[in-house]
């Protein structure tokens, strides 16, 4: 069962009008004094709650937190249950891998307000201060390790579709899974798996999205952006998380059955590097060429200056100056 504070928050968030102190204390099986104690604690966390001796409690404003009491009411599917919440964590992917190793079920989510050791692709550090959306989802896909490659593309597509649904803006994607606004990186996806030759034990899909962040360290300033910088508005991260998880859940089970092919059109429509001149750095092997296509298996098809075509499974794409983002 959820802790009392979360159940109280859920009641406040879903109440139509005032929540009677007597009724809620009976429902939750605690004294009215205990309810009042938790109301005061919630106020200290930034919740604005009006208390009237005759009418009860009325929630007037919710702080931008990823607390389960705020997130759980916005979840409509199975993804996000169980939900593990941390104020500060080294890396949600690391914690999710520990949980997955210990048997956590598919759909389990680990979220943190802040990461001190957030990790990006290719062993890079991921800047993860308060205000971003940093979470990891445990999946147990019944696909072979060879088929898992497109999962990160699928996750990045669900993230931009979720952003579009909630905010009405349409971020681009840069192969394989960078989330781009105005040519700058607003987010990314890091999928890590545990597998044997024939079987995937689990996959952890880590999502990092710069939501309400406005300052970046000097070395990132020229390349990074956020939803807040782009929209000039704060976004409710709890609602965004709910929408992204729902979108991903809808596409994930189809991907398990049919692979990435049904999603390729939507993915390619959002791709900012298609038909652009790029440089691809694939673990030190550097290729210049034009992006011709992305295959259903997730590989990038690059046309080289000598007319040859190569197919790349991984790499860092930089779109050449004057050729687009
Ligand atoms: C990238 O390099 O583009 C991928 C970045 C992924 C960052 C996210 S934040 C949540 C999760 N935990 C991590 O340590 N990394 C991922």
């Amino acid at each position: 069962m959820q802790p009392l504070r979360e159940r109280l928050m859920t009641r406040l968030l879903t109440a139509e009008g005032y929540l009677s102190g007597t009724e809620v204390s009976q429902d939750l099986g605690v004294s009215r004094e205990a309810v009042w104690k938790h109301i005061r604690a919630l106020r200290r966390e930034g919740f604005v709650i009006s208390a009237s001796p005759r009418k009860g409690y009325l929630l007037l404003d919710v702080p931008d937190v990823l607390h389960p009491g705020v997130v759980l009411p916005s979840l409509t599917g199975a993804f996000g249950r169980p939900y593990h919440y941390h104020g500060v964590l080294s890396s949600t992917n690391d914690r999710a891998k520990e949980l997955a190793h210990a048997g956590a079920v598919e759909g389990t989510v680990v979220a943190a307000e802040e990461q001190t050791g957030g990790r990006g692709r290719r062993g890079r550090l991921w800047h993860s201060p308060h205000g971003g959306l940093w979470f990891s989802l445990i999946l147990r896909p019944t696909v072979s390790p060879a088929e898992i490659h497109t999962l990160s593309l699928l996750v990045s597509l669900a993230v931009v579709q979720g952003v579009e649904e909630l905010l009405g803006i349409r971020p681009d994607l840069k192969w394989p899974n960078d989330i781009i606004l105005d040519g700058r990186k607003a987010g990314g996806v890091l999928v890590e798996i545990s597998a044997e030759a024939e079987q995937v034990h689990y996959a952890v899909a880590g999502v990092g999205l710069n939501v309400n962040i406005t300052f970046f360290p000097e070395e990132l300033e020229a390349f990074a952006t956020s939803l807040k910088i782009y929209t000039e508005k704060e976004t409710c991260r709890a609602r965004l998380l709910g929408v992204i998880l729902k979108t991903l859940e809808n596409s994930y089970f189809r991907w398990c059955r049919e692979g990435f092919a049904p999603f390729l059109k939507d993915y390619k429509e959002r791709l900012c590097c298609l038909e652009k001149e790029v440089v691809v750095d694939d673990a030190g092997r550097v290729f210049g060429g034009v992006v011709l296509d992305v295959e259903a298996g997730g590989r990038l098809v690059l046309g080289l200056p000598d007319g040859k075509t190569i197919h790349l499974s991984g790499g860092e794409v930089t779109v050449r100056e004057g050729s687009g983002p």
Side-chain angles (χ1 to χ4, degrees), residues 91-93 115 118-121 126 135-136 178 185 188-189 207-208:
S91 154
T92 56
N93 262 37
Q115 294 182 121
R119 293 184 293 105
R121 289 170 59 228
W126 184 260
F135 74 92
S136 303
D178 284 353
K185 185 154 166 167
V189 173
V207 173

Side-chain angles (χ1 to χ4, degrees), residues 31-273:
S31 68
R32 292 184 62 173
E33 289 67 34
V35 171
W36 176 229
K37 195 183 99 194
H38 284 284
I39 294 283
R40 280 180 310 184
L42 287 172
R43 281 176 168 171
R44 285 195 295 276
E45 287 177 22
F47 289 80
V48 182
I49 303 166
S50 147
S52 145
R54 277 188 297 116
K55 294 194 229 162
Y57 302 110
L58 181 66
L59 181 63
L60 298 172
D61 199 13
V62 179
D64 179 36
V65 286
L66 294 171
H67 194 286
V70 183
V71 168
L72 292 179
S74 71
L75 298 181
T76 51
F79 280 11
R81 292 164 211 278
Y83 179 77
H84 296 258
Y85 170 73
H86 298 265
V88 181
L89 194 63
S90 173
S91 154
T92 56
N93 262 37
D94 290 348
R95 182 69 193 124
K97 284 198 284 184
E98 285 168 9
L99 291 168
H101 191 69
V105 295
E106 177 162 88
T108 301
V109 164
V110 180
E113 299 288 356
E114 190 184 331
Q115 294 182 121
T116 51
R119 293 184 293 105
R121 289 170 59 228
R122 306 181 164 257
R124 294 202 189 107
L125 280 178
W126 184 260
H127 177 62
S128 322
H130 198 282
L133 183 56
W134 326 123
F135 74 92
S136 303
L137 169 69
I138 295 174
L139 298 168
R140 296 190 179 276
T142 49
V143 302
S144 74
E147 292 166 311
I148 201 90
H149 181 63
T150 52
L151 180 59
S152 68
L153 282 68
L154 184 89
V155 174
S156 64
L157 177 62
V159 172
V160 298
Q161 287 172 329
V163 168
E164 188 174 351
E165 181 176 330
L166 189 69
L167 304 181
I169 60 168
R170 206 174 148 92
D172 293 322
L173 289 168
K174 190 177 76 171
W175 184 88
N177 45 40
D178 284 353
I179 293 144
I180 306 287
L181 282 169
D182 268 345
R184 293 174 181 219
K185 185 154 166 167
V189 173
L190 175 67
V191 170
E192 297 181 287
I193 63 161
S194 162
E196 283 169 43
E198 293 298 315
Q199 193 201 351
V200 175
H201 300 303
Y202 64 79
V204 164
V207 173
L209 194 56
N210 302 330
V211 183
N212 298 320
I213 297 173
T214 41
F215 295 101
F216 291 96
E218 215 179 307
E219 66 277 15
L220 295 179
E221 234 171 29
F223 311 102
T225 191
S226 69
L227 298 183
K228 180 156 182 194
I229 292 171
Y230 187 82
T231 60
E232 298 182 345
K233 282 190 205 122
E234 294 264 330
T235 294
C236 171
R237 289 173 302 144
R239 283 182 65 203
L240 183 57
L241 175 57
V243 176
I244 290 173
L245 289 175
K246 186 195 77 186
T247 314
L248 182 54
E249 186 171 339
N250 287 342
S251 42
Y252 168 74
F253 291 106
R254 184 163 187 207
W255 172 84
C256 285
R257 292 190 307 270
E258 301 174 39
F260 192 59
F263 303 96
L264 199 54
K265 182 171 169 284
D266 282 342
Y267 177 84
K268 285 203 282 194
E269 268 174 17
R270 289 168 171 83
L271 214 52
C272 66
C273 52

Side-chain angles (χ1 to χ4, degrees), residues 277-281 286-289 302 316-320:
E277 274 187 40
V278 299
V279 175
V280 187
D281 184 338
V286 181
F287 305 96
L302 193 68
E316 192 68 35
V317 172
T318 309
V319 180
R320 279 190 202 264

